[in-house]
Amino acid sequence: LYHSSALACGVGYSSQLCQTMANLYDETKKCQLKRDRTTTTKSSSQQSDSISLLEELLFQGLSSLIVDGLVLSSKYSNNNAEVHLQTIMELVQALTTDEESTCLGDLQQWQQQQRRQRPDQQSLLQDVIRSKFKRIGSSNDNDDTASQCDYLIQMLQSSPTIHDKQAAFKSRATKASKA
């Protein structure tokens, strides 16, 4: 399934579709967290399995769209690397505009897990970007491309995960209870 989705996403990319998938992921996570705080039944376990499957499918599709459909796209040649980087940055900004969104950070964690399980099939977003644009920057002696690439990698690295958000929530709750 993953290999087929990578091929399909190499054909086309849509920022709107990526944003919609990220929103669906974030809303699913919010519902799951609310449910987990209130229930501990067997049906909750079945719902968690369904949500995990949905997350897996969303991450497979989103990863393919971003990596294969955007970053590795042949639509952008080496001649317009700055435009290509700008398009990727715009997507990253769109996916992180909502302060509550953890999709991009969670996607990167998912990619790392997939790489450990299937190293031959999964590329990490940061690695693909670094590889593609550092090579272009060095071959063109273009410091702007290398600088933009570094900035984009920093943006990706600072993307919060659901675990970051949960830790912050627990920290605030602990501080509030002590006050």
Side-chain angles (χ1 to χ4, degrees), residues 34-132:
K34 286 179 186 176
R35 191 203 65 241
D36 288 350
R37 288 186 199 129
T38 59
T39 62
T40 57
T41 64
K42 186 176 181 178
S43 65
S44 176
S45 174
Q46 291 171 338
Q47 289 174 343
S48 289
D49 290 344
S50 296
I51 289 172
S52 294
L53 178 60
L54 177 60
E55 289 172 7
E56 178 79 13
L57 292 172
L58 285 170
F59 283 155
Q60 283 177 354
L62 196 54
S63 183
S64 292
L65 278 168
I66 296 171
V67 172
D68 301 303
L70 177 59
V71 177
L72 297 176
S73 174
S74 59
K75 176 181 176 182
Y76 300 94
S77 68
N78 291 353
N79 297 336
N80 55 3
E82 288 181 24
V83 172
H84 194 180
L85 269 169
Q86 184 62 36
T87 303
I88 298 168
M89 281 188 198
E90 288 171 1
L91 175 66
V92 170
Q93 289 170 340
L95 294 179
T96 57
T97 299
D98 179 4
E99 289 182 13
E100 297 299 313
S101 178
T102 63
C103 184
L104 194 56
D106 292 343
L107 172 67
Q108 292 177 89
Q109 278 189 342
W110 176 83
Q111 287 179 329
Q112 289 171 347
Q113 290 171 344
Q114 293 302 301
R115 180 181 255 180
R116 284 191 290 274
Q117 294 171 4
R118 296 175 278 187
D120 60 321
Q121 291 188 358
Q122 183 62 40
S123 299
L124 297 176
L125 179 57
Q126 291 181 34
D127 291 348
V128 172
I129 290 170
R130 193 175 288 115
S131 172
K132 181 170 184 163

Side-chain angles (χ1 to χ4, degrees), residues 8-20:
C9 291
V11 174
Y13 155 78
S14 166
S15 175
Q16 184 71 33
L17 180 57
C18 290
Q19 291 175 47
T20 301

Side-chain angles (χ1 to χ4, degrees), residues 131-143 145-146:
S131 172
K132 181 170 184 163
F133 293 104
K134 291 289 185 167
R135 184 186 73 239
I136 291 170
S138 65
S139 68
N140 294 339
D141 294 324
N142 187 343
D143 286 337
T145 301

